[in-house]
Amino acid sequence: MLTAIAIDDEHMALEVIKSHAAKVPFLELEAVFSDAIRGFDYHKTQPVDLIFLDINMPDISGIDLAGMLQAETMVVFTTAYSAYAVKGFELNALDYLLKPFSLSRFLQACQKARDWKELQPTETNGHAFIKTSEGQIKVNFSDLLFCEATGNYVTLYLEGENVITRMTFKELEKLLPSFFIRTHRSFLVNKNRIEKIEKHQVQIREHRIPISQSYSGLL
């Protein structure tokens, strides 16, 4: 089951979301809020998987609110203004619904959220499926040494092979368990595989991975 809330200052927009949500069998819409701050406070104490979030609101914009949410919270922006689309996707929004949106378009966004949730690992299952140009491959966390970002691609350095996938580091961090940490804006490393820590780098096997000053305190 996918849990969600909706935040929108327009009563009619909330009614549309409630009506659509009632027809999606795998979605539980726990609450709706016309006040963005109240919605944010609710999510802090009762986290949900997904937030349907309006952008143009009086007290705080949906863009600003999305930036305050935890990384694992999925956001689907709902707005009447297409000009916000680029900014929304810069914040790694899962989807962007342009009002007025149909039930089929709403269902598509919900399905995308469910698919993403099902791909998320727990720290006990020890693996995730990573999408590549050749399909999805199973990556065992214990075999993953470190990850390097280059543009819109990430290279996963594994025991015996490298895998390239198209995703952002923020998306990758949602997939990985807590023993993967940043040492640099372009590198995520498996703490359990570090063999040596020096002032400006860590060593994993034959690889030397840089440590930037902003991430040095995590080691």
Side-chain angles (χ1 to χ4, degrees):
M1 182 64 70
L2 195 67
T3 59
I5 62 173
I7 303 174
D8 196 309
D9 64 318
E10 297 179 2
H11 176 74
M12 185 60 68
L14 291 175
E15 289 301 313
V16 169
I17 291 174
K18 287 166 64 175
S19 175
H20 287 347
K23 298 170 186 174
V24 180
F26 57 84
L27 178 68
E28 181 181 352
L29 186 66
E30 294 187 354
V32 298
F33 299 91
S34 58
D35 184 299
I37 303 302
R38 287 184 58 201
F40 180 71
D41 286 344
Y42 177 93
H43 179 63
K44 284 176 62 179
T45 59
Q46 301 182 63
V48 293
D49 300 314
L50 172 64
I51 298 180
F52 295 100
L53 183 58
D54 186 25
I55 290 180
N56 191 22
M57 295 185 288
D59 295 326
I60 181 172
S61 76
I63 296 289
D64 290 338
L65 188 61
M68 298 162 58
L69 298 172
Q70 296 182 350
E72 62 269 21
T73 304
M74 294 179 285
V75 172
V76 171
F77 282 122
T78 60
T79 182
Y81 303 97
S82 59
Y84 288 117
V86 173
K87 185 62 177 178
F89 284 115
E90 284 177 356
L91 287 170
N92 293 312
L94 186 74
D95 209 339
Y96 186 98
L97 298 179
L98 188 62
K99 299 175 183 177
F101 46 85
S102 65
L103 173 59
S104 61
R105 183 65 184 87
F106 181 84
L107 178 59
Q108 182 183 352
C110 294
Q111 184 63 57
K112 187 182 293 187
R114 182 169 72 165
D115 290 345
W116 180 259
K117 181 181 178 182
E118 289 176 352
L119 284 173
Q120 307 309 301
T122 63
E123 297 206 11
T124 56
N125 70 15
H127 67 269
F129 285 89
I130 302 295
K131 187 179 294 185
T132 71
S133 59
E134 299 177 354
Q136 293 193 31
I137 67 166
K138 182 179 179 180
V139 171
N140 293 314
F141 298 142
S142 59
D143 294 334
L144 180 54
L145 305 178
F146 67 97
C147 312
E148 180 180 6
T150 307
N152 295 322
Y153 292 88
V154 175
T155 301
L156 309 181
Y157 290 81
L158 297 154
E159 291 277 11
E161 65 174 327
N162 299 339
V163 172
I164 299 176
T165 182
R166 184 181 177 90
M167 67 167 61
T168 66
F169 249 20
K170 188 172 183 180
E171 292 169 334
L172 181 61
E173 285 179 304
K174 291 180 182 179
L175 287 174
L176 298 177
S178 58
F179 54 82
F180 282 86
I181 60 169
R182 290 262 194 134
T183 61
H184 184 278
R185 63 180 299 178
S186 299
F187 288 90
L188 272 164
V189 303
N190 183 341
K191 284 200 302 185
N192 299 331
R193 304 304 294 267
I194 294 175
E195 299 172 8
K196 186 177 182 181
I197 301 175
E198 299 176 345
K199 186 174 181 180
H200 298 298
Q201 65 182 17
V202 297
Q203 183 173 340
I204 299 178
R205 297 290 181 88
E206 71 277 14
H207 306 284
R208 287 173 171 78
I209 300 137
I211 304 172
S212 67
Q213 186 174 0
S214 55
Y215 293 103
S216 60
L218 297 177
L219 290 169

